[in-house]
Amino acid sequence: MDKREVTGLGAHRSTQLSAIAYNHSIGTDCNENEVAKSGGAAESFSVACPQTEMEALQSHSLLSFSSNISKINVLGNPSIPSIKLKQRTEIVSLGMLAPRKFMQKKKKVEVFKDAADEAEQKRWRKLMNEIDEAGSAVSILRNQRAKGQALPKDLVLGTLMRFKQLKKWNLVSEILEWLRCQHWWDFKEMDFLMLITAYGKLGDFNKAGRVLGYMNKHGYPPSVISHTALMEAYGRARQYNKAEAIFRRMQTSGPAPSPITYQIILKTFVEADKYKEAEAVFETLLNDESSFKPDQKMFHMMIYMHKKAGNYEQARMLFTKMSDRGIPQSTVTYNSLMSFETNYKEVSKIYDQMQRAGVRPDVVSYALLISAYGKARREDEALAVFEEMLDAGVRPTRKAYNILLDAFAVSGMVEEARKVFKSMRRDKCTPDLVSYTTMLSAYVNASDMEGAEKFFKRLKQDGYEPNVVTYGTLLKGYAKVNDLEKMMKVYDDMRLQGLEVNQTIFTTIMDAHGKNTDFGSAAIWYKEMESSGLVPDQKAKNILLSLAKSAEEQEEANQLVGNIASHFTERRKSGVSEQSDDDNDDYYDSGDEENGDESFVSFDGPINLERIDTSDVDEEDDRVEARDLLSVKQNELVC
């Protein structure tokens, strides 16, 4: 049996382990007990070990990782029991994803001052619901106003502030523009500033500039808020040079930039890939002569910049500099560092460091860790992390569930994937198309095409329209079991739905035909890929070359992929003149060798996690939220 160190596994219950690694052993000093199969996704087990060993387990959090994770000795105890499993594809657990009390829907108990207060609160909530349903605020507010009477000021301000908190800037601007024309509302400087801020957030620099003109006409002096809003409007509209021009003018002529101004200009520079300009502004703030120092959000933006540029070492140096300068490191800071890493060991080290610093992980932290374990095919740890997240009272999002689902689906662990899928509905995280496609891939990776067919029908019965990733997953399954007839039927159905075929689907079909000793069909599909406007990547080229067996097929494959240089070499060895091949010069493609294997399409599953973008620096946020945790590229089938 192979032995691998288990990182991140402790005990979150006193008498049981939440998840035990398949094909693992933990230590070697205790007797091994074979696990008895009990049916279903969850199986029970018993472990015979001394009481001291259980105490050692209980004294650690499930995710209290050791930084020295290359050691097999878990939690510093050499006598951790070893667990022997009969099959690699079995995850053993007691109460896998058992429901937690905090996940159960509770009826809210509201307390009102009196009957009048209760009536007022219910009226306001009804108003908000009507605006939300209508998608417009003015028509609803106009109906609330009695003839010839003004709306209560508290009602208007409460509505504005609520939409501001929700970042529904289109409604904020709509209400303020309406109020500006109402005789019963005294439109003051603060109203103008909120209106120009709303347009800044929307990236509407034309309207922001118009509001600035109104302010000048009414005698309001230029302010840092109005200029910052106009600068942000240009930045969000990708008018980066104009945004920079406003910032430079503020530096020289005033009004002097505020910390919010610096946050936004740094974000603008990073989005525009103006890394040198961002670095220069940040270094200026680090100097002792600066009136104020970089805050947490500015450090976060610069860490994100270095991540975007691929300068991971610089990002780590900034992380250290935050500590040296006394800047508090938040969950977002650690999440940013975790998002850099692809190795689960490195991710777990950062997570361990976050725990030691007393920073509480959020759902993004757990999702990053689960993803790292899932990609490493360590489903046991991925499940253990998810269980610990639930035990910590952190409510999982749909994306977090999809990540765990993918961890099992990649290895074709259908029963475990089904358990996760069912838990989503139970916990009010309604599965989306990504969830269904990922569950479909579990059947495909298990070569259970009968189950895949049934689930594909269920997907459509549940009201979802399969996309190119969904069809591609099913198509890959038929290719895997060498059923070319059904594979081509899926392809035809997909085209009938008007879906554009992507490169991975062409490569899959080409490979399937080639493996059936039909190189001619494989070459035809390679040409079809090119005629569809897709540039074959290195994976497609390598597959075509590997399918060619005879000398004629190898020659054709070399011509198709552009390997004319090696082709000429072979012809020179055989005494054939290079001059006769002048017509083949078009096959040269100098860019292919540069791409190398890095251009390969991933075949790990339908979930494709993008790196976390922690660049949000809106001033009303207390922290930078990670965005796009689980984004699936619709134009790329990941099988």
Side-chain angles (χ1 to χ4, degrees):
M1 177 183 295
D2 295 335
K3 295 183 179 180
R4 297 188 296 173
E5 70 280 8
V6 177
T7 61
L9 280 180
H12 75 92
R13 294 189 180 97
S14 60
T15 59
Q16 65 188 44
L17 296 177
S18 166
I20 300 299
Y22 61 91
N23 203 27
H24 277 212
S25 63
I26 313 176
T28 56
D29 293 345
C30 281
N31 294 329
E32 296 184 346
N33 292 332
E34 288 195 354
V35 178
K37 221 174 183 183
S38 62
E43 300 174 340
S44 61
F45 66 93
S46 61
V47 180
C49 65
Q51 180 66 24
T52 55
E53 292 163 355
M54 292 309 299
E55 291 175 354
L57 284 171
Q58 294 169 25
S59 64
H60 288 75
S61 166
L62 179 64
L63 299 180
S64 180
F65 301 116
S66 169
S67 295
N68 188 10
I69 46 186
S70 62
K71 296 182 180 179
I72 296 179
N73 183 3
V74 179
L75 305 179
N77 192 326
S79 300
I80 299 300
S82 59
I83 286 85
K84 183 178 180 181
L85 299 182
K86 291 184 177 180
Q87 297 181 12
R88 184 182 183 278
T89 58
E90 292 179 346
I91 287 275
V92 180
S93 66
L94 261 176
M96 174 180 172
L97 300 180
R100 269 55 168 190
K101 287 185 177 181
F102 83 94
M103 297 288 287
Q104 298 173 3
K105 192 173 182 180
K106 298 179 181 179
K107 187 176 180 180
K108 294 182 180 180
V109 179
E110 298 182 272
V111 179
F112 301 102
K113 297 178 182 178
D114 49 35
D117 179 55
E118 181 179 2
E120 185 65 25
Q121 289 291 331
K122 290 183 177 180
R123 178 194 173 196
W124 182 76
R125 289 175 190 172
K126 181 182 178 183
L127 172 69
M128 297 295 290
N129 289 333
E130 289 176 352
I131 293 175
D132 192 50
E133 292 174 1
S136 176
V138 171
S139 59
I140 305 299
L141 290 173
R142 187 181 290 117
N143 293 335
Q144 292 288 322
R145 179 176 169 237
K147 189 174 182 180
Q149 294 182 355
L151 282 173
K153 187 174 182 179
D154 291 343
L155 176 68
V156 175
L157 291 177
T159 304
L160 277 172
M161 294 308 298
R162 182 56 181 160
F163 286 136
K164 181 177 181 293
Q165 291 170 356
L166 296 174
K167 298 183 181 180
K168 294 187 176 182
W169 298 108
N170 58 325
L171 295 176
V172 171
S173 60
E174 179 190 0
I175 294 172
L176 287 169
E177 286 285 10
W178 177 63
L179 292 175
R180 192 172 62 85
C181 302
Q182 301 302 307
H183 64 86
W184 47 269
W185 185 269
D186 186 10
F187 208 84
K188 296 184 179 180
E189 183 180 13
M190 292 305 298
D191 299 314
F192 276 114
L193 292 176
M194 184 180 288
L195 181 57
I196 195 173
T197 298
Y199 285 134
K201 300 297 182 185
L202 293 171
D204 194 334
F205 55 86
N206 287 322
K207 292 182 179 179
R210 187 189 66 191
V211 173
L212 189 61
Y214 290 155
M215 294 182 69
N216 292 333
K217 289 181 179 179
H218 284 77
Y220 296 119
S223 69
V224 64
I225 296 176
S226 59
H227 281 66
T228 299
L230 183 59
M231 180 189 75
E232 183 176 19
Y234 279 117
R236 288 182 179 266
R238 301 183 181 277
Q239 301 285 326
Y240 300 122
N241 291 335
K242 293 182 179 179
E244 181 180 1
I246 294 175
F247 173 73
R248 301 302 182 191
R249 188 163 62 245
M250 292 175 69
Q251 283 184 309
T252 57
S253 308
S258 68
I260 300 297
T261 310
Y262 279 101
Q263 290 174 12
I264 293 174
I265 195 60
L266 285 176
K267 179 181 179 181
T268 301
F269 282 147
V270 172
E271 288 180 347
D273 295 335
K274 293 187 173 185
Y275 301 146
K276 291 183 179 180
E277 290 84 348
E279 193 76 53
V281 171
F282 189 73
E283 289 296 330
T284 300
L285 295 175
L286 288 175
N287 294 335
D288 295 333
E289 300 177 359
S290 177
S291 58
F292 52 83
K293 302 302 177 186
D295 58 15
Q296 186 186 77
K297 290 184 178 180
M298 296 180 199
F299 270 98
H300 286 166
M301 179 52 59
M302 296 306 293
I303 289 175
Y304 168 70
M305 183 195 79
H306 289 303
K307 179 187 75 171
K308 184 180 177 183
N311 300 324
Y312 299 153
E313 194 58 38
Q314 289 292 327
R316 296 185 185 97
M317 288 175 61
L318 274 183
F319 177 81
T320 303
K321 189 173 290 187
M322 286 183 71
S323 180
D324 296 340
R325 288 179 168 266
I327 305 295
Q329 295 167 329
S330 67
T331 305
V332 175
T333 316
Y334 287 97
N335 288 349
S336 297
L337 290 182
M338 291 170 68
S339 70
F340 298 164
E341 307 296 346
T342 56
N343 187 295
Y344 73 93
K345 295 183 179 181
E346 296 302 322
V347 176
S348 66
K349 282 183 181 179
I350 298 171
Y351 182 91
D352 186 35
Q353 186 179 358
M354 175 168 57
Q355 283 197 318
R356 290 198 303 269
V359 178
R360 179 172 177 171
D362 61 8
V363 66
V364 175
S365 315
Y366 287 113
L368 287 167
L369 194 53
I370 294 168
S371 173
Y373 281 129
K375 288 180 177 179
R377 303 294 179 92
R378 302 177 75 94
E379 301 86 359
D380 51 339
E381 287 98 331
L383 175 60
V385 174
F386 198 93
E387 294 276 6
E388 180 66 11
M389 176 175 65
L390 297 178
D391 288 342
V394 177
R395 183 177 294 275
T397 61
R398 182 189 292 117
K399 291 181 180 180
Y401 264 115
N402 283 344
I403 294 172
L404 180 63
L405 181 63
D406 183 60
F408 292 124
V410 167
S411 297
M413 303 176 74
V414 175
E415 291 303 318
E416 289 78 5
R418 287 176 60 186
K419 179 68 176 179
V420 176
F421 191 83
K422 290 179 180 179
S423 298
M424 293 181 70
R425 292 188 178 277
R426 181 199 67 202
D427 295 336
K428 310 302 180 185
C429 284
T430 306
D432 57 5
L433 183 58
V434 174
S435 313
Y436 276 87
T437 303
T438 307
M439 187 65 227
L440 179 67
S441 73
Y443 289 102
V444 167
N445 291 330
S447 298
D448 180 6
M449 292 312 297
E450 182 180 352
E453 290 172 359
K454 291 179 180 178
F455 192 80
F456 186 76
K457 291 179 181 177
R458 176 185 169 183
L459 181 152
K460 294 192 286 187
Q461 289 172 356
D462 288 350
Y464 290 95
E465 288 293 332
N467 60 15
V468 64
V469 181
T470 313
Y471 276 110
T473 301
L474 189 62
L475 184 144
K476 179 230 176 179
Y478 287 123
K480 186 176 180 181
V481 298
N482 202 31
D483 192 336
L484 300 191
E485 182 179 351
K486 287 188 176 181
M487 179 189 74
M488 294 311 301
K489 184 179 183 305
V490 172
Y491 174 82
D492 292 337
D493 290 344
M494 179 175 57
R495 297 309 300 263
L496 287 174
Q497 297 300 319
L499 296 174
E500 293 293 330
V501 182
N502 60 30
Q503 186 175 94
T504 308
I505 291 178
F506 277 124
T507 303
T508 302
I509 296 175
M510 177 187 72
D511 189 29
H513 282 290
K515 286 179 178 177
N516 278 268
T517 64
D518 187 359
F519 177 80
S521 294
I524 289 173
W525 281 105
Y526 186 91
K527 296 174 184 177
E528 180 69 17
M529 185 192 313
E530 292 182 315
S531 65
S532 298
L534 299 172
V535 179
D537 61 5
Q538 194 63 40
K539 182 176 182 65
K541 294 177 181 179
N542 287 348
I543 288 177
L544 184 66
L545 291 170
S546 69
L547 296 174
K549 304 303 180 185
S550 66
E552 292 80 5
E553 290 174 353
Q554 291 173 2
E555 180 177 3
E556 182 180 359
N558 276 302
Q559 289 180 346
L560 287 174
V561 303
N563 288 349
I564 304 302
S566 60
H567 178 57
F568 282 168
T569 301
E570 295 297 326
R571 292 177 67 84
R572 280 198 298 269
K573 288 180 181 179
S574 60
V576 179
S577 171
E578 296 178 16
Q579 188 65 34
S580 61
D581 283 334
D582 284 345
D583 293 339
N584 292 331
D585 288 345
D586 291 340
Y587 289 117
Y588 281 108
D589 186 358
S590 60
D592 295 338
E593 295 179 359
E594 296 178 1
N595 292 334
D597 291 344
E598 294 180 357
S599 63
F600 281 14
V601 178
S602 171
F603 279 82
D604 290 337
I607 301 296
N608 187 4
L609 289 175
E610 301 291 347
R611 294 193 181 276
I612 300 277
D613 177 1
T614 55
S615 61
D616 189 1
V617 292
D618 290 341
E619 61 267 30
E620 58 274 306
D621 288 344
D622 292 331
R623 67 181 183 84
V624 183
E625 296 180 354
R627 68 191 178 190
D628 300 331
L629 176 72
L630 218 190
S631 90
V632 176
K633 294 183 180 178
Q634 297 303 317
N635 64 342
E636 174 183 315
L637 168 64
V638 186
C639 299

